Amino acid sequence: MTDGHAPGAPGGPGNAHRALRDLVMAATVRIHRAGPGYAQDEPGTFLGSGFFIAPNWVLTCAHVVRSGEGNEVRVVYERGPGRGTSAVTGEVATVLPDRAGIPARGTWPSPDLALVRLREPVDHDCAYVTERPAAYYEEAVVLYSGWSVVGGELRRLSGTCTVQGTLGGWSDDEQIRLGGDVLPPGVSGGPVVDPVRGEVVGVLKSRTDRGLGGTCTGVERLRSLPVPAGETTAEHDDPYHAVFHAHDRYHRDRQRHPDTDRNTWADVQNQLGARPGRVLSPEERTQLLGRLADLPPPVSTRALLGLLESLTGDRTAIPHPAPRGWRDGLGTLYESARHDAALDLVLDYAMRAMSAERPFVTPGTRAAERALWEWVRQTAEGRPGPAYRRRLGQQWIERLQLAPRGPSPAEAEAAHATAHSAGRAPRLFVLLELEQLGWEPGRCDWHVSLGRPTGEVVRLRDGERTPLDELAPVLAPHLTEAFRQCDEPGRPADLQVALPHLLLGLDVDAWRLGPGEAPLGAHRPVVVRCADREQLPGPAGPAARDGEPLPADEERHEREARWRWIHAHGAQAEILDCEDGLRVPVPTAESLRGLPHKTIPVLCRYGDHRFEDDPVAVVRIVHGGYGVALWRRWRGQSEAVCGEFHRRAGDTVAGAGGADRLPELVHALRAGLSEGRPETYWAHGIALFYDDPRRPLPGTGDLLEAP
């Protein structure tokens, strides 16, 4: 499946091919019937194979998922060599073709594809999927991977097949014919890989009843997914763009990750000698596609085709299915560019994508455009002669001169004022205070109170020496009563949780107050406050490196000034503990005081204690004068990709318009997580520190005085 532009490593399978096989198999999953009582290793529930195409998305065959019952399946995957298997429930999001009358069992017509959306976020590897307009059908060898029942046990396997041509014509039923190997039952839905370029080009569809081989479907058939009927206002409105933008950002972020010794797909493609489009290295292609995926998608297929025609004239035959996203357009350019002009065409394409009409914009769109421009500028530096570079620079200047696309400042201010007056007007809230016992760190005293809009707090119930793992059931009836006294129809009261600094990772928002109930954080806004700053170690302790603390009055004035700014003028997120996946120490309080007042600190890896003073990192943020911060409770491995959290957290803070909206926005994210909406999975474990310096906790006089 090559066109001669990407010669592979000579001499048969070598280190690069073994590394490619490992990547393919790591992304391959098996699919089972869903339902209680099913063991994840039970061959009787096994339906077929699939593979992770993007974080929390599995691509497989429609006939595989429709062989089960209902619209749910179980996806079984391996986290890594020697780590064992894990299982997660998935929902069949879409199938192709989705026609009434197709039997649940038997032959499913082409393209016979299905996308499965996981019900909860998990860490896993993803395959790299080609951006070329169609697979190549000349005689070649392809690699496949899947699962099957061997000797009564489920076993993972891989192998090679030869491409023998096609089945069908130019219509939607075209399939790739494979031969040269016996395809055992169960491998349907597994990936088919071009071993020369090192990319997935198809999905195994069927096997022959007798003899060798079977058929597969080209992954480009996913472009025929239905286009949403209504207006597209966000990336997740269109599953095609949601999946492939997430795919390209994942591989870009994985390639950037500095804290891993594992091969990436671009690493292996480079070892294979692949040269995407004849002009880009695999690393360059990965970075370009990741930057394109940070932009909103093309407004329509017709608009994308018009952009391509403006670059290539009539030289480009429209592939079938037609290109739909930025990556598809790039793949189409590969096939039309002359060797001496291929790089110019790619750079011109990136510039056109940067200034194209948008179906929507996000707070991060401008930053994405600038990042893409930096890639173009740096790539163009090696072009001979100044004329081309000067033309690109002029295009960027023209782009900067365009009017901002989005609400005007007056409209934004009016919207913010409305949200402030309607959404965050002072009202009743519930306060839960936990006090950790120094002589029994596994137990807590607790207090449940009602907070009035005036700041007055009325105690409802107290408890002593409750084990941490029993807090939720013990507190459930008391919190339920407090909520009943505060909630209004359609407006559940906020829960403020005052925690000692060593318990700020406690997942109170995940508590369930009764069987079958949604988590607390999905039902109502839940925010945390730090209850014990005055008890933290003094100059001889972990905070010593922060320098001399500010006098109490100055620190209080700093907190109030920052609080007023981010509520009146909006805010900007600042990731403090992670740089492109590399865990870094949180800056000192003195350094944090020097950040602009619009800053809201964000911790990507709270709980990933790599440094001596990590346990007081959040307290250092509060010492720096901050009353609002975001973090997520870290449960991943050191090599887990976290670029999506950085990007989405920044957009959430910037898009809020003012910090007063963050409790509701975090509440909406938690509700989305509870409902299994993939666009919210980046926020798994999110916590919001929201501590009004004008309203101290009971008994403190002034919350968080310097030690």
Side-chain angles (χ1 to χ4, degrees), residues 295-320:
L295 298 174
V299 72
S300 66
T301 292
R302 179 61 259 168
L304 178 58
L305 290 174
L307 187 155
L308 292 170
E309 290 165 0
S310 70
L311 290 172
T312 62
D314 297 328
R315 299 198 309 272
T316 303
I318 299 176
H320 182 79

Side-chain angles (χ1 to χ4, degrees), residues 411-430:
E411 291 170 333
E413 183 64 28
H416 170 59
T418 300
H420 182 78
S421 60
R424 299 305 302 170
R427 56 194 182 96
L428 287 170
F429 63 90
V430 175

Side-chain angles (χ1 to χ4, degrees), residues 125-136:
D125 293 322
C126 296
Y128 183 86
V129 175
T130 184
E131 70 276 13
R132 289 179 290 161
Y136 287 81

Side-chain angles (χ1 to χ4, degrees), residues 136-282:
Y136 287 81
Y137 302 137
E138 69 230 39
E139 184 177 352
V141 174
V142 293
L143 171 70
Y144 71 87
S145 176
W147 288 80
S148 186
V149 179
V150 181
E153 296 182 358
L154 285 163
R155 303 290 295 273
R156 189 167 58 173
L157 54 87
S158 66
T160 58
C161 284
T162 57
V163 176
Q164 297 185 328
T166 63
L167 177 65
W170 289 320
S171 62
D172 290 337
D173 68 347
E174 187 176 57
Q175 301 170 49
I176 306 169
R177 293 173 51 232
L178 303 176
D181 195 7
V182 176
L183 298 177
V187 297
S188 291
V192 176
V193 180
D194 180 345
V196 176
R197 281 188 168 83
E199 56 192 27
V200 175
V201 294
V203 180
L204 283 172
K205 171 174 168 53
S206 64
R207 63 189 186 95
T208 57
D209 292 335
R210 299 179 183 86
L212 306 178
T215 65
C216 78
T217 301
V219 291
E220 74 278 359
R221 297 292 164 182
L222 282 174
R223 298 177 191 175
S224 60
L225 284 170
V227 176
E231 181 182 5
T232 300
T233 61
E235 183 180 278
H236 61 262
D237 288 344
D238 188 330
Y240 182 83
H241 293 311
V243 167
F244 278 107
H245 279 214
H247 169 281
D248 288 337
R249 291 194 295 262
Y250 167 87
H251 286 286
R252 184 267 314 273
D253 295 339
R254 172 64 72 193
Q255 188 64 27
R256 288 176 174 176
H257 204 302
D259 196 17
T260 179
D261 56 3
R262 297 171 58 201
N263 277 318
T264 67
W265 281 78
D267 292 335
V268 173
Q269 290 162 356
N270 193 56
Q271 295 169 29
L272 292 168
R275 192 74 179 168
R278 302 185 291 271
V279 295
L280 300 176
S281 70

